[in-house]
Amino acid sequence: MKYFLLAICFLFISVESFGQQFSQYNTGTLYDSFENPAQATFKPDTSYNLAFNFFVPNFNSNAYITGNGQIPLKSRLFGGRYINNNNLTLGNGRFSRVNVQSNIYTSMFKVYTSLDGDQEIGISTQTRAEGRGLFSDESFLLLSQLSKFTEPAYSDIFNNSYTEQTYHQISFTYREKVNKQFSIGFKLSALLGIQYQKLQTDHSNIQFDNLADLAALRLQGNYRISFTPGEFSSHDLLPTFRNPGASISIGTILRTRDNFIIQANVKDLGFIHWNKKSKTSNFDATGIVYDIGTRRREDNLYATTNAIIHSADQAGSFVTPTNGVAELSANKSFWLDYDKRFKYSPTIIAQKELFYEGYTVAMVNPLQYKNLVGTVTTSYNNYGVFTTGLQGMIKAPNVEFYMGTDRLVQSVSLLRAARKSDAAINKNASFAGADFFLGFSLKFGRVIEHPLNANRIPLGERPGFLKRIWNNIFHPGKDDGS
């Protein structure tokens, strides 16, 4: 980390995001079945019985920034300097919110194990990252427009916070259709932590000495980190058991008599135990920022801040939760023509983060023609972020490929800013952000066949264990799956 605010805003932006990739809901892709464990991957009499991504990464990465900090962050990131932004305020308690996430499946493999219950089992490996931050307008002003600070002292204007963690995930999934209306699935995961950082500044104070060209900065709060700064390397990205954890996802699907599909999920509910060499600092200290009126201001601010937050470091392990969410969705399909060539299958989704205040509502609008699917997705969250995205998909019985973005306009704008477009850099929209996802998988093996259509004689299959439990509860003595 080299720069004060850029470090804490962007140290995780290349690999992280928050929120489900909503465009994949009810698509029946391999990615969809691992994210929503009650979702079926295979279709009897059509699909082969094995599905694999052949180590082609299936991923979703996104980020967004709200508030007045958009322009200075974009100008510093893409232009190497801070552009003055007249929207930044002093003393009004305004903040910019940074929210970033990534979910990368490196391997996904599923097997269709039984016609009785449409049983599917699978294993997967993935890397996830979660990050969010809240940064005051005054923090950006300190870096870009020092002349705005006309008073000799200010209090509680730098009460920033951020959290980020990354980890590997190795999962086992099981899905079963208990009866014609109800399906259930679960995903059990072992987590291998990579890194964790959290900063919470509760109180702050700064006093300027213009004659000496310095400032006294006091910060009080809490800081946690799972590694030694400056010693983290690419080798530490490899999976190890140094930071173990576990998580669970449970999903259910109910098909009503009028063919609505109601899906409920509790996803990624888990924890990570960070190793005993991790550091916790309950800091309350003052540091001097020298040469604050010069070009060295950014480097000196970071050095002083870093020294303060590490001033009370104590080694010891700690436990953190993963960003679990609860979701509820409703879907129904409609044929738009007599020959059943065009199908429209809208899904409405409500999502609530379990350990944070965030919630999102979304509507997914896929239109399918034969093996081609085009999807328009809209979403809105409690931070006032409204997004529109597009997805294109080839969805054949045994081949699937898709790509798209859930933040189309913002992704184009950020790409233009990255190409040093002044208009895009200077644009202070409702939020700035980017999103991109891509996926691929194939099915192979033998065709899944019902007995009446089979080319081979089945030897008989025992109902799945979830169906046996269901029958024991609701139909005592009935264990044959009939």
Side-chain angles (χ1 to χ4, degrees):
M1 296 182 297
K2 185 179 179 182
Y3 300 109
F4 167 63
L5 194 58
L6 287 178
I8 55 181
C9 285
F10 288 108
L11 71 124
F12 41 76
I13 204 167
S14 63
V15 291
E16 303 173 10
S17 66
F18 271 109
Q20 159 84 18
Q21 181 186 319
F22 293 116
S23 298
Q24 283 296 295
Y25 256 76
N26 293 305
T27 57
T29 60
L30 191 57
Y31 182 99
D32 182 25
S33 72
F34 277 99
E35 287 295 287
N36 303 299
Q39 187 65 253
T41 308
F42 302 94
K43 188 176 180 180
D45 297 321
T46 303
S47 305
Y48 294 125
N49 69 325
L50 304 173
F52 189 33
N53 71 325
F54 291 92
F55 301 107
V56 176
N58 285 224
F59 67 89
N60 171 34
S61 293
N62 65 69
Y64 69 78
I65 308 165
T66 67
N68 298 324
Q70 297 175 52
I71 291 177
L73 279 178
K74 287 189 292 183
S75 65
R76 183 63 181 88
L77 183 63
F78 301 125
R81 70 190 194 283
Y82 290 104
I83 293 178
N84 292 345
N85 181 6
N86 294 328
N87 293 322
L88 290 170
T89 63
L90 182 61
N92 291 333
R94 294 186 178 178
F95 288 83
S96 294
R97 185 179 301 276
V98 178
N99 216 340
V100 289
Q101 172 183 288
S102 184
N103 184 13
I104 305 171
Y105 279 91
T106 50
S107 66
M108 298 182 290
F109 180 72
K110 267 205 169 183
V111 181
Y112 190 93
T113 58
S114 175
L115 277 166
D116 196 334
D118 279 351
Q119 297 167 45
E120 303 176 9
I121 62 173
I123 55 173
S124 64
T125 59
Q126 65 192 110
T127 301
R128 300 181 69 102
E130 306 163 353
R132 65 181 71 221
L134 204 61
F135 306 101
S136 67
D137 275 18
E138 291 84 354
S139 299
F140 297 104
L141 280 172
L142 189 62
L143 292 167
S144 62
Q145 294 171 266
L146 187 64
S147 60
K148 293 285 187 179
F149 294 88
T150 58
E151 300 294 328
Y154 296 86
S155 295
D156 289 331
I157 61 172
F158 304 129
N159 294 352
N160 302 319
S161 63
Y162 76 90
T163 304
E164 65 96 6
Q165 69 178 354
T166 56
Y167 54 92
H168 298 296
Q169 185 168 345
I170 303 171
S171 305
F172 167 81
T173 64
Y174 179 87
R175 184 262 179 191
E176 183 179 325
K177 189 174 182 179
V178 177
N179 57 38
K180 292 181 179 180
Q181 289 76 39
F182 185 72
S183 301
I184 187 170
F186 60 81
K187 176 181 178 181
L188 303 177
S189 302
L191 308 182
L192 308 174
I194 301 173
Q195 69 168 18
Y196 177 86
Q197 287 192 75
K198 180 178 180 179
L199 171 67
Q200 177 67 49
T201 306
D202 299 316
H203 298 289
S204 58
N205 179 270
I206 191 167
Q207 293 182 327
F208 293 97
D209 186 340
N210 294 327
L211 292 178
D213 194 22
L214 57 81
L217 178 66
R218 173 181 173 264
L219 300 174
Q220 184 266 317
N222 177 265
Y223 180 66
R224 282 180 167 183
I225 188 168
S226 65
F227 60 95
T228 302
E231 296 183 7
F232 190 86
S233 67
S234 58
H235 179 76
D236 295 302
L237 297 174
L238 298 175
T240 69
F241 294 99
R242 189 166 53 243
N243 305 301
S247 70
I248 185 172
S249 297
I250 301 174
T252 61
I253 291 179
L254 175 66
R255 182 182 292 273
T256 67
R257 292 184 178 181
D258 47 0
N259 287 324
F260 277 94
I261 297 175
I262 309 298
Q263 186 173 174
N265 297 302
V266 174
K267 295 157 60 171
D268 302 312
L269 184 62
F271 69 93
I272 299 176
H273 182 274
W274 300 96
N275 67 84
K276 63 182 180 180
K277 294 183 179 180
S278 301
K279 302 289 195 307
T280 298
S281 175
N282 294 308
F283 57 88
D284 186 356
T286 300
I288 304 299
V289 184
Y290 295 99
D291 300 325
I292 195 168
T294 70
R295 285 182 147 185
R296 295 179 55 82
R297 176 168 67 249
E298 188 175 60
D299 288 336
N300 292 346
L301 276 168
Y302 171 71
T304 301
T305 303
N306 188 63
I308 291 173
I309 64 178
H310 284 286
S311 62
D313 276 356
Q314 291 187 341
S317 61
F318 53 82
V319 177
T320 61
T322 55
N323 187 39
V325 297
E327 294 175 345
L328 183 66
S329 69
N331 165 271
K332 189 170 184 179
S333 297
F334 306 89
W335 292 104
L336 301 183
D337 65 325
Y338 180 79
D339 296 323
K340 294 186 176 182
R341 294 174 300 173
F342 294 92
K343 185 170 71 171
Y344 174 55
S345 306
T347 300
I348 298 175
I349 306 162
Q351 180 190 83
K352 178 68 179 72
E353 294 177 353
L354 297 177
F355 300 111
Y356 300 96
E357 62 182 10
Y359 63 83
T360 305
V361 292
M363 186 166 184
V364 184
N365 300 275
L367 180 63
Q368 181 174 353
Y369 173 72
K370 296 183 178 179
N371 293 332
L372 302 177
V373 184
T375 304
V376 177
T377 301
T378 57
S379 67
Y380 181 81
N381 67 19
N382 59 306
Y383 305 124
V385 175
F386 177 82
T387 67
T388 302
L390 295 177
Q391 174 183 258
M393 176 185 292
I394 299 173
K395 185 69 172 67
N398 296 302
V399 179
E400 57 197 35
F401 173 80
Y402 62 87
M403 65 184 302
T405 174
D406 278 345
R407 296 182 172 94
L408 178 62
V409 176
Q410 292 75 23
S411 297
V412 172
S413 177
L414 199 66
L415 181 62
R416 291 182 61 222
R419 298 178 66 180
K420 296 181 171 52
S421 165
D422 289 340
I425 290 175
N426 292 324
K427 184 177 181 181
N428 197 61
S430 60
F431 75 98
D435 178 282
F436 182 71
F437 55 83
L438 180 145
F440 164 82
S441 71
L442 292 175
K443 295 184 179 73
F444 59 99
R446 61 175 179 81
V447 176
I448 303 166
E449 297 176 312
H450 281 95
L452 294 178
N453 302 324
N455 293 315
R456 64 185 184 89
I457 300 174
L459 299 177
E461 295 176 327
R462 182 173 173 80
F465 76 91
L466 294 178
K467 189 169 184 177
R468 295 199 298 272
I469 293 174
W470 180 279
N471 287 340
N472 287 334
I473 296 173
F474 297 102
H475 307 286
K478 182 179 180 180
D479 191 38
D480 59 359
S482 59

